[in-house]
């Protein structure tokens, strides 16, 4: 997908007030939340972006009269297979300390674990779909085989009836009748014995 086109699927803001979270979700719902250049770079370049001092970062969006409360931010791509499916972001807005390399590694590790889990879920779902398709195919084959067996049974029944009718006709004959195939094998005869 185009890295400039985002859809918010989930947000976790545990330290913020419910009103602030709702305000953010309302703005996102109205399309007023724009993708940060950092997020676009994270997706396009498929790499972790770390901004240590957001207050001095010229690319960080600011609203007039609102101070930048977030000290630093890290964004890392969440990939499944060859596809970037999300961005996992963390910040130090509610902490006294600055974000360090261990924080970045934890977020990257978490993103890798989630990406692997998504890949496993996709592989499992694909396998389930293949099992369903194969089962459906086998059931269709079974139905076809049952239909062919029913037709074969019907043909065998017709052959038996025809054979019985032929035998009845042969048995009503006054003389002896013997039917022989090209190999000299007797294929039918009446039950009268020649005298």
């Amino acid at each position: 997908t185009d890295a400039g086109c985002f859809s918010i699927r989930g947000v976790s803001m545990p330290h913020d007030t419910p009103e602030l979270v709702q305000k953010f979700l309302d703005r996102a719902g109205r399309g007023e939340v724009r993708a940060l250049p950092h997020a676009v770079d994270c997706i396009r370049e498929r790499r972790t972006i770390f901004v240590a001092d957001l207050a001095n970062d010229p690319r960080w969006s600011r609203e007039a009269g609102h101070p930048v409360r977030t000290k630093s931010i890290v964004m890392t791509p969440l990939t499944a297979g060859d596809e970037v499916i999300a961005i996992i972001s963390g910040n130090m807005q509610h902490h006294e300390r600055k974000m360090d390399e261990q924080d970045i590694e934890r977020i990257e590790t978490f993103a890798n674990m989630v990406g692997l889990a998504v890949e496993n879920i996709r592989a499992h779902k694909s396998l389930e779909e293949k099992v369903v398709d194969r089962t459906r195919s086998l059931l269709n084959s079974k139905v076809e085989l049952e239909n062919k067996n029913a037709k074969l049974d019907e043909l065998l029944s017709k052959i038996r009836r025809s054979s019985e009718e032929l035998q009845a006709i042969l048995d009503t004959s006054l003389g002896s009748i013997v039917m022989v195939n090209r190999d000299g094998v007797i294929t039918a005869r009446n039950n009268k014995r020649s005298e």
Side-chain angles (χ1 to χ4, degrees):
T1 63
D2 179 20
C5 185
F6 289 90
S7 173
I8 296 175
R9 302 273 187 210
V11 63
S12 175
M13 301 164 70
H15 297 289
D16 290 315
T17 65
E19 295 80 22
L20 185 63
V21 174
Q22 190 58 52
K23 181 181 175 185
F24 173 79
L25 293 173
D26 290 345
R27 286 181 56 223
R30 291 189 304 268
E32 296 172 3
V33 176
R34 298 285 174 238
L36 300 171
H38 309 82
V40 173
D41 291 348
C42 178
I43 290 174
R44 282 194 181 133
E45 298 171 16
R46 300 174 66 93
R47 68 176 180 88
T48 299
I49 304 290
F50 174 60
V51 181
D53 184 6
L54 282 174
N56 292 315
D57 185 337
R59 297 186 333 152
W60 187 256
S61 63
R62 292 172 177 78
E63 292 181 28
H66 295 335
V68 176
R69 295 185 322 224
T70 305
K71 297 176 190 86
S72 56
I73 192 166
V74 62
M75 296 178 180
T76 193
L78 193 155
T79 59
D82 293 333
E83 175 187 10
V84 175
I85 60 172
I87 294 175
I88 295 181
S89 177
N91 66 59
M92 299 302 279
Q93 179 175 331
H94 298 284
H95 298 280
E96 293 300 319
R97 68 178 180 83
K98 291 185 177 185
M99 189 173 282
D100 61 23
E101 285 298 317
Q102 287 182 336
D103 296 315
I104 296 167
E105 287 176 12
R106 278 192 283 273
I107 290 174
E108 288 176 332
T109 300
F110 178 71
N112 288 335
M113 289 169 47
V114 172
L116 289 172
V118 170
E119 284 181 35
N120 286 338
I121 290 167
R122 286 179 174 179
H124 181 71
K125 184 175 180 181
S126 174
L127 183 59
E128 279 182 339
E129 289 170 357
K130 287 177 184 175
V131 168
V132 167
D133 288 345
R134 182 67 179 139
T135 301
R136 187 176 297 121
S137 174
L138 288 172
L139 288 173
N140 288 340
S141 295
K142 180 183 175 197
V143 168
E144 288 176 25
L145 185 59
E146 287 171 350
N147 290 339
K148 288 178 181 178
N149 282 341
K151 288 179 183 178
L152 181 59
D153 288 344
E154 186 180 326
L155 285 173
L156 288 172
S157 179
K158 285 181 181 179
I159 291 171
R160 254 186 254 107
R161 280 194 309 271
S162 295
S163 180
E164 289 168 1
E165 289 172 7
L166 176 61
Q167 191 63 49
I169 291 170
L170 291 174
D171 288 344
T172 60
S173 173
L174 297 175
S176 293
I177 299 176
V178 175
M179 295 176 75
V180 180
N181 68 13
R182 292 181 184 176
D183 297 326
V185 176
I186 297 173
T187 57
R189 69 177 177 200
N190 63 355
N191 288 326
K192 295 206 181 214
R193 303 212 186 247
S194 57
E195 300 184 19

Coordinates of all heavy atoms in Angstrom, one line a residue, residues 124-178:
H124 N -1.4 -20.9 9.1 CA -2.4 -21.9 9.6 C -3.8 -21.7 8.9 O -4.4 -22.7 8.5 CB -2.6 -21.6 11.1 CG -3.6 -22.5 11.8 ND1 -3.4 -23.8 12.0 CD2 -4.9 -22.3 12.2 CE1 -4.5 -24.4 12.6 NE2 -5.4 -23.4 12.7
K125 N -4.1 -20.5 8.6 CA -5.4 -20.2 7.9 C -5.3 -20.8 6.5 O -6.2 -21.4 6.0 CB -5.7 -18.7 7.9 CG -7.0 -18.4 7.2 CD -7.3 -16.9 7.3 CE -8.7 -16.7 6.6 NZ -9.0 -15.3 6.7
S126 N -4.2 -20.6 5.9 CA -3.9 -21.1 4.5 C -4.0 -22.6 4.5 O -4.7 -23.2 3.6 CB -2.6 -20.7 4.0 OG -2.3 -21.3 2.7
L127 N -3.4 -23.3 5.5 CA -3.5 -24.7 5.6 C -4.9 -25.2 5.9 O -5.4 -26.2 5.3 CB -2.6 -25.2 6.8 CG -2.4 -26.7 7.0 CD1 -1.9 -27.4 5.7 CD2 -1.5 -27.0 8.2
E128 N -5.6 -24.5 6.7 CA -7.1 -24.8 7.0 C -7.9 -24.7 5.7 O -8.7 -25.6 5.4 CB -7.7 -23.9 8.0 CG -7.4 -24.2 9.4 CD -8.0 -23.3 10.4 OE1 -8.4 -22.1 10.0 OE2 -8.2 -23.7 11.6
E129 N -7.6 -23.7 4.9 CA -8.3 -23.5 3.6 C -8.0 -24.7 2.6 O -8.9 -25.2 2.0 CB -8.0 -22.2 3.0 CG -8.6 -21.0 3.7 CD -8.1 -19.6 3.2 OE1 -7.2 -19.6 2.4 OE2 -8.6 -18.6 3.8
K130 N -6.7 -25.1 2.6 CA -6.3 -26.2 1.8 C -7.0 -27.5 2.2 O -7.5 -28.3 1.4 CB -4.8 -26.4 1.8 CG -4.1 -25.3 1.0 CD -2.6 -25.5 1.1 CE -1.9 -24.3 0.4 NZ -0.5 -24.3 0.5
V131 N -7.1 -27.7 3.5 CA -7.8 -28.9 4.1 C -9.2 -28.9 3.7 O -9.8 -29.9 3.3 CB -7.6 -29.0 5.6 CG1 -8.5 -30.1 6.2 CG2 -6.1 -29.3 5.9
V132 N -9.9 -27.7 3.8 CA -11.3 -27.6 3.5 C -11.5 -27.9 2.0 O -12.4 -28.6 1.6 CB -11.8 -26.2 3.9 CG1 -13.2 -25.9 3.2 CG2 -11.9 -26.1 5.4
D133 N -10.6 -27.3 1.1 CA -10.7 -27.5 -0.3 C -10.5 -29.0 -0.6 O -11.2 -29.6 -1.5 CB -9.7 -26.7 -1.1 CG -10.1 -25.2 -1.1 OD1 -11.2 -24.9 -0.8 OD2 -9.2 -24.4 -1.4
R134 N -9.5 -29.6 0.0 CA -9.2 -31.0 -0.3 C -10.4 -31.9 0.2 O -10.7 -32.9 -0.5 CB -7.9 -31.4 0.4 CG -7.5 -32.9 0.1 CD -7.2 -33.1 -1.4 NE -6.8 -34.4 -1.6 CZ -7.1 -35.2 -2.6 NH1 -7.8 -34.6 -3.6 NH2 -6.7 -36.4 -2.7
T135 N -10.9 -31.6 1.3 CA -12.0 -32.4 1.9 C -13.2 -32.2 0.9 O -13.9 -33.2 0.6 CB -12.4 -31.9 3.3 OG1 -11.3 -32.0 4.1 CG2 -13.6 -32.7 3.9
R136 N -13.5 -31.0 0.5 CA -14.6 -30.8 -0.5 C -14.4 -31.6 -1.7 O -15.3 -32.2 -2.3 CB -14.7 -29.3 -0.8 CG -15.9 -28.9 -1.6 CD -16.0 -27.4 -1.8 NE -16.2 -26.7 -0.6 CZ -15.4 -25.8 -0.1 NH1 -14.4 -25.4 -0.8 NH2 -15.7 -25.2 1.0
S137 N -13.1 -31.6 -2.2 CA -12.8 -32.3 -3.5 C -13.0 -33.8 -3.3 O -13.5 -34.5 -4.1 CB -11.3 -32.0 -3.8 OG -10.9 -32.8 -4.9
L138 N -12.5 -34.3 -2.1 CA -12.7 -35.8 -1.8 C -14.2 -36.1 -1.7 O -14.6 -37.2 -2.1 CB -12.0 -36.1 -0.5 CG -10.4 -36.2 -0.6 CD1 -9.8 -36.4 0.8 CD2 -10.0 -37.3 -1.6
L139 N -15.0 -35.2 -1.0 CA -16.4 -35.5 -0.9 C -17.1 -35.5 -2.3 O -17.9 -36.4 -2.6 CB -17.1 -34.5 0.0 CG -16.8 -34.6 1.5 CD1 -17.4 -33.4 2.2 CD2 -17.3 -35.9 2.0
N140 N -16.6 -34.6 -3.2 CA -17.2 -34.5 -4.5 C -16.8 -35.8 -5.3 O -17.6 -36.4 -6.0 CB -16.7 -33.3 -5.3 CG -17.3 -32.0 -4.8 OD1 -18.4 -32.1 -4.2 ND2 -16.7 -30.9 -5.1
S141 N -15.5 -36.3 -5.1 CA -15.1 -37.5 -5.7 C -15.9 -38.7 -5.2 O -16.2 -39.6 -6.0 CB -13.6 -37.7 -5.4 OG -12.8 -36.7 -6.1
K142 N -16.2 -38.7 -3.9 CA -16.9 -39.8 -3.3 C -18.4 -39.8 -3.9 O -18.9 -40.9 -4.3 CB -17.0 -39.6 -1.8 CG -17.8 -40.7 -1.1 CD -17.9 -40.4 0.4 CE -18.9 -41.5 1.0 NZ -19.3 -41.1 2.3
V143 N -19.0 -38.6 -4.1 CA -20.3 -38.5 -4.6 C -20.3 -39.0 -6.1 O -21.1 -39.8 -6.5 CB -20.8 -37.1 -4.5 CG1 -22.1 -36.9 -5.4 CG2 -21.1 -36.7 -3.1
E144 N -19.2 -38.6 -6.8 CA -19.1 -39.0 -8.2 C -18.9 -40.6 -8.3 O -19.5 -41.2 -9.1 CB -17.9 -38.4 -8.9 CG -18.1 -36.9 -9.2 CD -16.8 -36.3 -9.8 OE1 -16.0 -37.0 -10.4 OE2 -16.7 -35.0 -9.6
L145 N -18.1 -41.1 -7.4 CA -17.9 -42.6 -7.4 C -19.2 -43.3 -7.0 O -19.5 -44.3 -7.6 CB -16.8 -42.9 -6.4 CG -16.4 -44.4 -6.3 CD1 -15.9 -44.9 -7.6 CD2 -15.3 -44.5 -5.2
E146 N -19.9 -42.7 -6.0 CA -21.2 -43.3 -5.7 C -22.2 -43.3 -6.8 O -22.9 -44.3 -7.1 CB -21.8 -42.6 -4.4 CG -21.1 -42.9 -3.2 CD -21.5 -42.1 -2.0 OE1 -22.3 -41.1 -2.2 OE2 -21.1 -42.4 -0.8
N147 N -22.2 -42.2 -7.6 CA -23.1 -42.1 -8.8 C -22.7 -43.1 -9.8 O -23.5 -43.8 -10.4 CB -23.0 -40.7 -9.4 CG -23.7 -39.7 -8.5 OD1 -24.6 -40.0 -7.6 ND2 -23.4 -38.4 -8.7
K148 N -21.3 -43.3 -10.0 CA -20.9 -44.2 -11.0 C -21.2 -45.7 -10.6 O -21.6 -46.5 -11.4 CB -19.4 -44.1 -11.3 CG -19.0 -42.8 -12.0 CD -17.6 -42.6 -12.2 CE -17.3 -41.3 -13.0 NZ -15.9 -41.0 -13.2
N149 N -21.0 -45.9 -9.3 CA -21.4 -47.3 -8.8 C -22.9 -47.5 -8.9 O -23.3 -48.7 -9.3 CB -21.0 -47.4 -7.3 CG -19.5 -47.6 -7.1 OD1 -18.8 -48.0 -8.0 ND2 -19.0 -47.4 -5.9
A150 N -23.7 -46.5 -8.7 CA -25.1 -46.7 -8.9 C -25.5 -47.0 -10.3 O -26.3 -47.9 -10.6 CB -25.9 -45.4 -8.4
K151 N -24.8 -46.3 -11.3 CA -25.0 -46.6 -12.7 C -24.5 -48.0 -13.1 O -25.2 -48.7 -13.8 CB -24.3 -45.5 -13.6 CG -25.0 -44.2 -13.5 CD -24.2 -43.2 -14.4 CE -24.8 -41.8 -14.2 NZ -24.1 -40.8 -15.0
L152 N -23.4 -48.4 -12.5 CA -22.9 -49.7 -12.8 C -23.8 -50.8 -12.2 O -24.1 -51.8 -12.9 CB -21.5 -49.9 -12.1 CG -20.8 -51.2 -12.3 CD1 -20.6 -51.5 -13.8 CD2 -19.4 -51.2 -11.6
D153 N -24.3 -50.6 -11.0 CA -25.3 -51.5 -10.4 C -26.5 -51.6 -11.3 O -27.1 -52.7 -11.6 CB -25.7 -51.1 -9.0 CG -24.6 -51.3 -8.0 OD1 -23.7 -52.1 -8.3 OD2 -24.7 -50.7 -6.9
E154 N -27.0 -50.4 -11.9 CA -28.1 -50.4 -12.8 C -27.9 -51.2 -14.0 O -28.7 -52.0 -14.5 CB -28.5 -49.0 -13.1 CG -29.7 -48.8 -13.9 CD -30.0 -47.3 -14.2 OE1 -29.7 -46.5 -13.3 OE2 -30.6 -47.0 -15.3
L155 N -26.6 -51.0 -14.6 CA -26.3 -51.8 -15.8 C -26.2 -53.3 -15.5 O -26.6 -54.1 -16.3 CB -24.9 -51.3 -16.4 CG -24.9 -49.9 -17.1 CD1 -23.5 -49.5 -17.4 CD2 -25.7 -50.0 -18.4
L156 N -25.6 -53.6 -14.4 CA -25.5 -55.1 -14.0 C -26.9 -55.7 -13.9 O -27.1 -56.8 -14.3 CB -24.7 -55.2 -12.8 CG -23.2 -55.0 -12.9 CD1 -22.5 -55.0 -11.5 CD2 -22.5 -56.0 -13.8
S157 N -27.8 -54.9 -13.3 CA -29.1 -55.4 -13.1 C -29.8 -55.6 -14.5 O -30.5 -56.6 -14.7 CB -29.9 -54.4 -12.3 OG -31.2 -54.8 -12.1
K158 N -29.6 -54.7 -15.4 CA -30.1 -54.8 -16.8 C -29.6 -56.0 -17.4 O -30.3 -56.8 -18.1 CB -29.9 -53.5 -17.6 CG -30.7 -52.4 -17.2 CD -30.4 -51.2 -18.1 CE -31.2 -50.0 -17.8 NZ -30.9 -48.8 -18.6
I159 N -28.2 -56.2 -17.3 CA -27.6 -57.4 -17.9 C -28.2 -58.7 -17.3 O -28.5 -59.6 -18.0 CB -26.1 -57.4 -17.7 CG1 -25.5 -56.2 -18.6 CG2 -25.4 -58.7 -18.0 CD1 -24.0 -55.9 -18.3
R160 N -28.4 -58.7 -16.0 CA -29.0 -59.9 -15.4 C -30.4 -60.2 -15.9 O -30.8 -61.3 -16.2 CB -29.1 -59.7 -13.8 CG -28.0 -60.5 -13.1 CD -28.2 -60.5 -11.6 NE -27.1 -59.6 -11.1 CZ -27.3 -58.4 -10.6 NH1 -28.4 -57.8 -10.5 NH2 -26.2 -57.7 -10.2
R161 N -31.2 -59.1 -16.0 CA -32.6 -59.2 -16.5 C -32.6 -59.7 -17.9 O -33.3 -60.6 -18.3 CB -33.3 -57.9 -16.4 CG -33.9 -57.6 -15.0 CD -34.9 -56.5 -15.0 NE -34.5 -55.3 -15.7 CZ -33.8 -54.3 -15.1 NH1 -33.6 -54.3 -13.8 NH2 -33.5 -53.2 -15.8
S162 N -31.6 -59.1 -18.7 CA -31.5 -59.5 -20.1 C -31.1 -61.0 -20.2 O -31.6 -61.8 -21.1 CB -30.5 -58.7 -20.9 OG -31.0 -57.4 -21.0
S163 N -30.2 -61.4 -19.4 CA -29.7 -62.8 -19.4 C -30.8 -63.7 -19.0 O -31.0 -64.8 -19.6 CB -28.5 -62.9 -18.4 OG -28.1 -64.2 -18.4
E164 N -31.6 -63.3 -18.0 CA -32.8 -64.1 -17.5 C -33.8 -64.2 -18.6 O -34.4 -65.3 -18.9 CB -33.4 -63.5 -16.3 CG -32.5 -63.7 -15.0 CD -33.0 -62.9 -13.8 OE1 -34.0 -62.2 -13.9 OE2 -32.3 -63.0 -12.8
E165 N -34.1 -63.1 -19.3 CA -35.0 -63.1 -20.5 C -34.5 -64.0 -21.6 O -35.3 -64.8 -22.1 CB -35.2 -61.7 -21.0 CG -36.0 -60.8 -20.0 CD -36.1 -59.3 -20.5 OE1 -35.6 -59.0 -21.6 OE2 -36.6 -58.5 -19.7
L166 N -33.2 -63.9 -21.9 CA -32.7 -64.8 -22.9 C -32.8 -66.2 -22.5 O -33.2 -67.1 -23.3 CB -31.2 -64.4 -23.2 CG -30.4 -65.3 -24.2 CD1 -31.1 -65.3 -25.5 CD2 -29.0 -65.0 -24.2
Q167 N -32.5 -66.5 -21.3 CA -32.6 -67.9 -20.8 C -34.1 -68.4 -20.9 O -34.3 -69.5 -21.3 CB -32.1 -68.0 -19.4 CG -31.9 -69.5 -18.9 CD -30.9 -70.2 -19.7 OE1 -29.8 -69.8 -19.9 NE2 -31.3 -71.4 -20.2
A168 N -35.0 -67.5 -20.5 CA -36.4 -67.9 -20.6 C -36.8 -68.2 -22.1 O -37.6 -69.1 -22.3 CB -37.3 -66.8 -20.0
I169 N -36.3 -67.4 -23.0 CA -36.6 -67.6 -24.4 C -36.0 -68.9 -24.9 O -36.6 -69.7 -25.6 CB -36.1 -66.4 -25.3 CG1 -36.9 -65.2 -25.0 CG2 -36.2 -66.7 -26.8 CD1 -36.4 -63.9 -25.6
L170 N -34.7 -69.1 -24.5 CA -34.1 -70.4 -24.9 C -34.8 -71.6 -24.3 O -35.0 -72.6 -25.0 CB -32.6 -70.4 -24.4 CG -31.7 -69.4 -25.1 CD1 -30.3 -69.4 -24.4 CD2 -31.5 -69.7 -26.6
D171 N -35.3 -71.5 -23.1 CA -35.9 -72.6 -22.4 C -37.3 -72.9 -23.0 O -37.8 -74.0 -22.9 CB -36.1 -72.4 -20.9 CG -34.7 -72.5 -20.2 OD1 -33.8 -73.0 -20.8 OD2 -34.6 -72.0 -19.1
T172 N -37.9 -72.0 -23.7 CA -39.2 -72.3 -24.3 C -39.1 -72.9 -25.7 O -40.1 -73.4 -26.3 CB -40.0 -71.0 -24.5 OG1 -39.3 -70.1 -25.3 CG2 -40.4 -70.4 -23.2
S173 N -37.9 -73.0 -26.2 CA -37.6 -73.6 -27.5 C -37.8 -75.1 -27.4 O -37.5 -75.8 -26.4 CB -36.2 -73.3 -27.9 OG -35.9 -74.0 -29.1
L174 N -38.4 -75.7 -28.5 CA -38.6 -77.2 -28.5 C -37.4 -77.9 -28.7 O -37.2 -79.1 -28.3 CB -39.7 -77.5 -29.6 CG -41.0 -76.9 -29.4 CD1 -41.9 -77.1 -30.6 CD2 -41.7 -77.4 -28.1
G175 N -36.4 -77.4 -29.5 CA -35.2 -78.1 -29.7 C -34.1 -77.6 -28.8 O -34.2 -76.7 -28.0
S176 N -32.9 -78.2 -29.0 CA -31.7 -77.9 -28.2 C -31.1 -76.6 -28.8 O -30.9 -76.6 -30.1 CB -30.7 -79.0 -28.1 OG -31.3 -80.1 -27.4
I177 N -30.7 -75.7 -28.0 CA -30.0 -74.5 -28.5 C -28.8 -74.4 -27.7 O -28.8 -74.4 -26.5 CB -30.9 -73.3 -28.4 CG1 -32.2 -73.4 -29.2 CG2 -30.1 -72.0 -28.8 CD1 -33.1 -72.3 -29.1
V178 N -27.7 -74.1 -28.4 CA -26.4 -73.9 -27.7 C -25.8 -72.6 -28.4 O -25.7 -72.6 -29.6 CB -25.4 -75.1 -27.8 CG1 -24.1 -74.7 -27.2 CG2 -26.0 -76.3 -27.1

